[in-house]
C-alpha cells in the first residue's frame, strides 16, 4: 500500500526543514490533536499512540541530507515506512511531501487507508506552523 500526502510549501530552506525533521522530538508538534501518548525512546526512535489505536514505534532508518528522511516501524506486527521528501524551490522555500509505504493484507489495507491518509496529511500540514 502506497499513500502520499499533498505537497506543501514551507518558507524555510531544505536544510532547515531537514534539521527540524531529523530531530525526532519535533514530531510531537506535528501530531494530530487526538494523540494520547508521545515518548522519545532514543535519539532516533519514538513511540506514539492516537486515541483508539495501538502504540506505534518509529525509528530513523535512512537519512539523506537535506532531501530525504525515512522512518520505519521498529518492531510490532506491521512493517511500514514513512518517507519525508524535501525539495528546494528557491533559497528560502522548500516543498515537503510524505509518503507512506506498507505491506498489508487487503482487509487491513482497506481498514487503515483512510486514517493513515488523514494522519500523514495532518503531519505534513503541521510542518509550516511548527518549524
Amino acid at each position: 500500500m502506497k499513500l502520499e500526502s499533498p505537497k506543501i510549501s514551507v518558507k524555510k530552506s531544505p536544510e532547515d526543514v531537514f534539521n527540524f525533521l531529523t530531530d525526532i522530538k519535533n514530531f510531537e508538534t506535528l501530531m494530530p490533536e487526538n494523540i494520547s501518548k508521545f515518548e522519545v525512546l532514543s535519539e532516533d526512535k519514538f513511540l506514539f499512540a492516537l486515541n483508539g489505536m495501538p502504540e506505534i514505534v518509529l525509528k530513523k532508518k535512512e537519512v539523506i541530507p537535506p532531501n530525504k528522511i525515512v522512518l520505519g516501524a521498529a518492531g510490532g506486527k506491521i512493517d511500514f515506512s514513512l518517507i519525508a521528501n524535501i525539495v528546494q524551490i528557491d533559497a528560502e522555500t522548500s516543498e515537503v511531501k510524505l509518503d507512506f509505504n506498507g505491506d498489508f493484507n487487503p482487509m487491513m489495507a482497506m481498514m487503515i487507508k483512510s486514517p493513515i491518509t488523514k494522519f500523514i496529511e495532518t503531519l505534513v500540514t503541521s510542518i509550516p506552523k511548527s518549524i
Side-chain angles (χ1 to χ4, degrees):
M1 181 168 79
K2 294 181 187 288
L3 302 173
E4 295 181 2
S5 76
K7 292 177 181 174
I8 55 113
S9 181
V10 182
K11 296 283 184 207
K12 296 283 183 184
S13 70
E15 290 79 12
D16 289 344
V17 176
F18 179 84
N19 291 337
F20 177 81
L21 293 176
T22 52
D23 186 349
I24 58 157
K25 65 180 173 285
N26 289 332
F27 274 84
E28 186 171 14
T29 65
L30 305 178
M31 291 287 163
E33 289 179 10
N34 65 335
I35 187 167
S36 60
K37 185 175 188 177
F38 186 93
E39 186 179 329
V40 174
L41 302 174
S42 68
E43 69 179 33
D44 67 346
K45 193 185 320 182
F46 66 95
L47 174 151
F48 72 96
L50 304 175
N51 290 334
M53 299 283 282
E55 291 180 355
I56 296 171
V57 178
L58 285 177
K59 178 180 175 56
K60 269 192 264 181
K61 301 272 186 177
E62 184 180 5
V63 180
I64 303 170
N67 303 108
K68 186 176 181 181
I69 301 160
V70 179
L71 299 173
K77 295 180 176 82
I78 53 176
D79 187 32
F80 67 90
S81 58
L82 183 64
I83 303 147
N85 295 293
I86 306 160
V87 177
Q88 182 169 348
I89 303 301
D90 59 40
E92 286 303 314
T93 309
S94 303
E95 188 175 78
V96 182
K97 180 174 74 95
L98 296 178
D99 295 329
F100 175 91
N101 295 324
D103 190 16
F104 305 104
N105 68 48
M107 185 64 148
M108 176 72 106
M110 191 176 74
M111 287 173 26
I112 66 171
K113 183 178 180 182
S114 179
I116 297 291
T117 300
K118 190 173 178 182
F119 176 70
I120 63 173
E121 286 176 4
T122 299
L123 291 180
V124 80
T125 56
S126 297
I127 292 170
K129 298 175 264 182
S130 299
I131 193 167

